[in-house]
Amino acid sequence: QIARRTYDLLKKEPNIKVYMTRNEDVFIPLNVRVQKARTLQADLFISIHADAFIDRTVKGSTVFALSTKGASSSAASYLAQTQNEADQIGGVSRSGDKYLDNTILDLVQKTTLTNGVILGSSILNRMKGVNKLHKPSIEKAGFAVLKAPDIPSVLVETGFISNADEEKKLNTAAFQIQISTAIVNGIKDYLKKRKK
């Protein structure tokens, strides 16, 4: 519901096109979701989830961006997969020179990582007015869903469904709208601050 509400809010924004990698409760492999975003030449990728943990007292919202370690392994994997294919790196055609291509990918990925952190921080800053934060600043991890080498990507954990209080909030339209609005406002803040 939060993803759908976010989608509906973004559709109302001028100059923004929004796509869902899935529109129903079916499993789509993480790499397929990322590939879909790359095929659409997305400018950013946001994955929205509800968190869970064995300790039912744990609560709060979290935003993750790709860690440098995850980025490096992603870049190596990406280059290996596309070694013999005509492809683009961040909108620039591959040269065929692996050293030049590595340099281009490195530059693109540095900008992507920087923008991922700006996007995540912008969303987190908006979410702190809606829900308690699980961590006060953006987290970094090597989640597969964040590993597009040329698309700033974040994972938004809206709250802990394993926490009784947050589960109740997550099921209310009011909270869903607040979280969706925070995500959209964070995206709009990011668009003003991003590195080009």
Side-chain angles (χ1 to χ4, degrees):
Q1 285 303 317
I2 292 171
R4 287 193 179 107
R5 291 181 193 280
T6 303
Y7 172 85
D8 290 341
L9 288 170
L10 284 170
K11 275 181 66 175
K12 295 176 185 173
E13 292 294 322
N15 304 318
I16 291 180
K17 284 186 183 178
V18 58
Y19 299 93
M20 300 275 280
T21 56
R22 58 185 180 150
N23 202 16
E24 51 194 34
D25 196 14
V26 295
F27 180 74
I28 296 175
L30 301 177
N31 63 324
V32 173
R33 298 177 207 183
V34 173
Q35 188 54 47
K36 187 172 183 178
R38 292 200 75 246
T39 300
L40 291 166
Q41 297 180 320
D43 293 310
L44 55 92
F45 182 94
I46 299 171
S47 189
I48 300 172
H49 294 257
D51 215 338
F53 194 61
I54 51 170
D55 180 350
R56 295 179 64 83
T57 64
V58 175
K59 61 183 176 179
S61 300
T62 313
V63 179
F64 290 90
L66 183 61
S67 71
T68 306
K69 184 177 179 184
S72 300
S73 60
S74 171
S77 170
Y78 172 74
L79 280 177
Q81 288 171 7
T82 60
Q83 194 67 36
N84 297 316
E85 298 174 19
D87 203 355
Q88 290 195 337
I89 303 172
V92 178
S93 294
R94 295 190 55 158
S95 69
D97 178 326
K98 76 175 186 177
Y99 299 108
L100 179 58
D101 288 345
N102 272 311
T103 302
I104 292 168
L105 181 60
D106 188 49
L107 291 170
V108 166
Q109 195 158 53
K110 281 181 182 168
T111 302
T112 299
L113 287 172
T114 299
N115 280 334
V117 170
I118 294 169
L119 174 61
S121 298
S122 298
I123 292 172
L124 192 70
N125 189 49
R126 291 292 186 151
M127 287 181 70
K128 73 182 177 188
V130 175
N131 196 29
K132 175 188 182 292
L133 298 181
H134 181 59
K135 297 283 174 86
S137 58
I138 191 170
E139 293 283 288
K140 294 186 180 178
F143 293 122
V145 79
L146 300 177
K147 290 187 178 182
D150 50 356
I151 305 171
S153 306
V154 294
L155 168 62
V156 177
E157 295 285 4
T158 56
F160 281 81
I161 202 163
S162 52
N163 179 285
D165 293 335
E166 286 198 342
E167 182 186 18
K168 283 179 194 164
K169 286 200 304 188
L170 285 162
N171 279 312
T172 67
F175 186 71
Q176 292 169 7
I177 290 165
Q178 286 179 312
I179 289 286
S180 300
T181 302
I183 292 169
V184 170
N185 287 335
I187 291 167
K188 287 157 72 174
D189 293 343
Y190 159 77
L191 292 173
K192 295 173 194 166
K193 301 179 205 172
R194 67 182 166 171
K195 306 289 182 203
K196 295 184 181 179

PDB file of all heavy atoms in Angstrom, residues 76-91:
ATOM      1  N   ALA A  76      32.301  -5.073 -10.607  1.00  0.00           N
ATOM      2  CA  ALA A  76      33.057  -6.181 -11.191  1.00  0.00           C
ATOM      3  C   ALA A  76      32.114  -7.169 -11.875  1.00  0.00           C
ATOM      4  O   ALA A  76      32.372  -7.621 -12.991  1.00  0.00           O
ATOM      5  CB  ALA A  76      33.860  -6.886 -10.095  1.00  0.00           C
ATOM      6  N   SER A  77      31.011  -7.473 -11.210  1.00  0.00           N
ATOM      7  CA  SER A  77      30.028  -8.398 -11.768  1.00  0.00           C
ATOM      8  C   SER A  77      29.414  -7.829 -13.039  1.00  0.00           C
ATOM      9  O   SER A  77      29.249  -8.527 -14.035  1.00  0.00           O
ATOM     10  CB  SER A  77      28.941  -8.671 -10.725  1.00  0.00           C
ATOM     11  OG  SER A  77      27.880  -9.372 -11.293  1.00  0.00           O
ATOM     12  N   TYR A  78      29.079  -6.548 -12.996  1.00  0.00           N
ATOM     13  CA  TYR A  78      28.466  -5.887 -14.146  1.00  0.00           C
ATOM     14  C   TYR A  78      29.406  -5.922 -15.354  1.00  0.00           C
ATOM     15  O   TYR A  78      28.996  -6.262 -16.455  1.00  0.00           O
ATOM     16  CB  TYR A  78      28.119  -4.450 -13.771  1.00  0.00           C
ATOM     17  CG  TYR A  78      27.644  -3.609 -14.942  1.00  0.00           C
ATOM     18  CD1 TYR A  78      26.378  -3.777 -15.479  1.00  0.00           C
ATOM     19  CD2 TYR A  78      28.472  -2.648 -15.504  1.00  0.00           C
ATOM     20  CE1 TYR A  78      25.941  -3.022 -16.549  1.00  0.00           C
ATOM     21  CE2 TYR A  78      28.051  -1.887 -16.574  1.00  0.00           C
ATOM     22  CZ  TYR A  78      26.781  -2.066 -17.089  1.00  0.00           C
ATOM     23  OH  TYR A  78      26.374  -1.319 -18.140  1.00  0.00           O
ATOM     24  N   LEU A  79      30.672  -5.600 -15.139  1.00  0.00           N
ATOM     25  CA  LEU A  79      31.627  -5.610 -16.249  1.00  0.00           C
ATOM     26  C   LEU A  79      31.815  -7.023 -16.796  1.00  0.00           C
ATOM     27  O   LEU A  79      31.911  -7.223 -17.997  1.00  0.00           O
ATOM     28  CB  LEU A  79      32.971  -5.025 -15.811  1.00  0.00           C
ATOM     29  CG  LEU A  79      33.038  -3.507 -15.772  1.00  0.00           C
ATOM     30  CD1 LEU A  79      34.388  -3.050 -15.251  1.00  0.00           C
ATOM     31  CD2 LEU A  79      32.776  -2.896 -17.137  1.00  0.00           C
ATOM     32  N   ALA A  80      31.852  -7.990 -15.901  1.00  0.00           N
ATOM     33  CA  ALA A  80      32.016  -9.375 -16.341  1.00  0.00           C
ATOM     34  C   ALA A  80      30.822  -9.814 -17.190  1.00  0.00           C
ATOM     35  O   ALA A  80      30.992 -10.468 -18.218  1.00  0.00           O
ATOM     36  CB  ALA A  80      32.157 -10.292 -15.132  1.00  0.00           C
ATOM     37  N   GLN A  81      29.619  -9.438 -16.783  1.00  0.00           N
ATOM     38  CA  GLN A  81      28.412  -9.838 -17.517  1.00  0.00           C
ATOM     39  C   GLN A  81      28.343  -9.190 -18.896  1.00  0.00           C
ATOM     40  O   GLN A  81      27.773  -9.749 -19.816  1.00  0.00           O
ATOM     41  CB  GLN A  81      27.162  -9.446 -16.727  1.00  0.00           C
ATOM     42  CG  GLN A  81      26.914 -10.288 -15.500  1.00  0.00           C
ATOM     43  CD  GLN A  81      25.788  -9.724 -14.651  1.00  0.00           C
ATOM     44  OE1 GLN A  81      25.112  -8.786 -15.040  1.00  0.00           O
ATOM     45  NE2 GLN A  81      25.601 -10.293 -13.480  1.00  0.00           N
ATOM     46  N   THR A  82      28.888  -7.997 -19.020  1.00  0.00           N
ATOM     47  CA  THR A  82      28.727  -7.254 -20.276  1.00  0.00           C
ATOM     48  C   THR A  82      30.023  -7.183 -21.077  1.00  0.00           C
ATOM     49  O   THR A  82      30.136  -6.402 -22.007  1.00  0.00           O
ATOM     50  CB  THR A  82      28.242  -5.816 -19.984  1.00  0.00           C
ATOM     51  OG1 THR A  82      29.209  -5.162 -19.158  1.00  0.00           O
ATOM     52  CG2 THR A  82      26.889  -5.816 -19.315  1.00  0.00           C
ATOM     53  N   GLN A  83      31.009  -8.028 -20.712  1.00  0.00           N
ATOM     54  CA  GLN A  83      32.329  -7.958 -21.330  1.00  0.00           C
ATOM     55  C   GLN A  83      32.288  -8.019 -22.856  1.00  0.00           C
ATOM     56  O   GLN A  83      32.971  -7.266 -23.522  1.00  0.00           O
ATOM     57  CB  GLN A  83      33.203  -9.112 -20.800  1.00  0.00           C
ATOM     58  CG  GLN A  83      34.667  -8.960 -21.092  1.00  0.00           C
ATOM     59  CD  GLN A  83      35.306  -7.803 -20.346  1.00  0.00           C
ATOM     60  OE1 GLN A  83      34.946  -7.533 -19.221  1.00  0.00           O
ATOM     61  NE2 GLN A  83      36.235  -7.116 -20.961  1.00  0.00           N
ATOM     62  N   ASN A  84      31.449  -8.886 -23.383  1.00  0.00           N
ATOM     63  CA  ASN A  84      31.426  -9.066 -24.835  1.00  0.00           C
ATOM     64  C   ASN A  84      30.169  -8.505 -25.486  1.00  0.00           C
ATOM     65  O   ASN A  84      29.862  -8.838 -26.614  1.00  0.00           O
ATOM     66  CB  ASN A  84      31.544 -10.563 -25.171  1.00  0.00           C
ATOM     67  CG  ASN A  84      32.855 -11.121 -24.690  1.00  0.00           C
ATOM     68  OD1 ASN A  84      33.897 -10.502 -24.866  1.00  0.00           O
ATOM     69  ND2 ASN A  84      32.804 -12.282 -24.056  1.00  0.00           N
ATOM     70  N   GLU A  85      29.441  -7.664 -24.753  1.00  0.00           N
ATOM     71  CA  GLU A  85      28.206  -7.113 -25.290  1.00  0.00           C
ATOM     72  C   GLU A  85      28.366  -5.635 -25.605  1.00  0.00           C
ATOM     73  O   GLU A  85      29.100  -4.921 -24.941  1.00  0.00           O
ATOM     74  CB  GLU A  85      27.072  -7.266 -24.266  1.00  0.00           C
ATOM     75  CG  GLU A  85      26.757  -8.713 -23.931  1.00  0.00           C
ATOM     76  CD  GLU A  85      25.729  -8.803 -22.807  1.00  0.00           C
ATOM     77  OE1 GLU A  85      25.023  -7.814 -22.548  1.00  0.00           O
ATOM     78  OE2 GLU A  85      25.656  -9.875 -22.187  1.00  0.00           O
ATOM     79  N   ALA A  86      27.641  -5.198 -26.635  1.00  0.00           N
ATOM     80  CA  ALA A  86      27.570  -3.753 -26.883  1.00  0.00           C
ATOM     81  C   ALA A  86      26.613  -3.220 -25.839  1.00  0.00           C
ATOM     82  O   ALA A  86      25.467  -3.624 -25.771  1.00  0.00           O
ATOM     83  CB  ALA A  86      27.044  -3.497 -28.286  1.00  0.00           C
ATOM     84  N   ASP A  87      27.073  -2.346 -24.986  1.00  0.00           N
ATOM     85  CA  ASP A  87      26.240  -1.862 -23.887  1.00  0.00           C
ATOM     86  C   ASP A  87      26.644  -0.434 -23.577  1.00  0.00           C
ATOM     87  O   ASP A  87      27.568   0.119 -24.155  1.00  0.00           O
ATOM     88  CB  ASP A  87      26.442  -2.756 -22.659  1.00  0.00           C
ATOM     89  CG  ASP A  87      25.258  -2.707 -21.695  1.00  0.00           C
ATOM     90  OD1 ASP A  87      24.323  -1.911 -21.919  1.00  0.00           O
ATOM     91  OD2 ASP A  87      25.275  -3.469 -20.728  1.00  0.00           O
ATOM     92  N   GLN A  88      25.939   0.149 -22.634  1.00  0.00           N
ATOM     93  CA  GLN A  88      26.253   1.504 -22.206  1.00  0.00           C
ATOM     94  C   GLN A  88      26.584   1.491 -20.730  1.00  0.00           C
ATOM     95  O   GLN A  88      26.109   0.656 -19.980  1.00  0.00           O
ATOM     96  CB  GLN A  88      25.068   2.435 -22.450  1.00  0.00           C
ATOM     97  CG  GLN A  88      24.817   2.689 -23.914  1.00  0.00           C
ATOM     98  CD  GLN A  88      23.891   3.876 -24.105  1.00  0.00           C
ATOM     99  OE1 GLN A  88      23.135   4.234 -23.217  1.00  0.00           O
ATOM    100  NE2 GLN A  88      23.976   4.489 -25.259  1.00  0.00           N
ATOM    101  N   ILE A  89      27.428   2.430 -20.345  1.00  0.00           N
ATOM    102  CA  ILE A  89      27.748   2.634 -18.942  1.00  0.00           C
ATOM    103  C   ILE A  89      27.285   4.039 -18.612  1.00  0.00           C
ATOM    104  O   ILE A  89      27.854   5.016 -19.076  1.00  0.00           O
ATOM    105  CB  ILE A  89      29.265   2.518 -18.679  1.00  0.00           C
ATOM    106  CG1 ILE A  89      29.784   1.163 -19.137  1.00  0.00           C
ATOM    107  CG2 ILE A  89      29.560   2.740 -17.214  1.00  0.00           C
ATOM    108  CD1 ILE A  89      31.286   1.041 -19.102  1.00  0.00           C
ATOM    109  N   GLY A  90      26.224   4.118 -17.835  1.00  0.00           N
ATOM    110  CA  GLY A  90      25.727   5.433 -17.443  1.00  0.00           C
ATOM    111  C   GLY A  90      25.409   6.322 -18.625  1.00  0.00           C
ATOM    112  O   GLY A  90      25.629   7.526 -18.582  1.00  0.00           O
ATOM    113  N   GLY A  91      24.895   5.753 -19.698  1.00  0.00           N
ATOM    114  CA  GLY A  91      24.516   6.544 -20.867  1.00  0.00           C
ATOM    115  C   GLY A  91      25.648   6.770 -21.857  1.00  0.00           C
ATOM    116  O   GLY A  91      25.458   7.380 -22.891  1.00  0.00           O
TER     117      GLY A  91
END
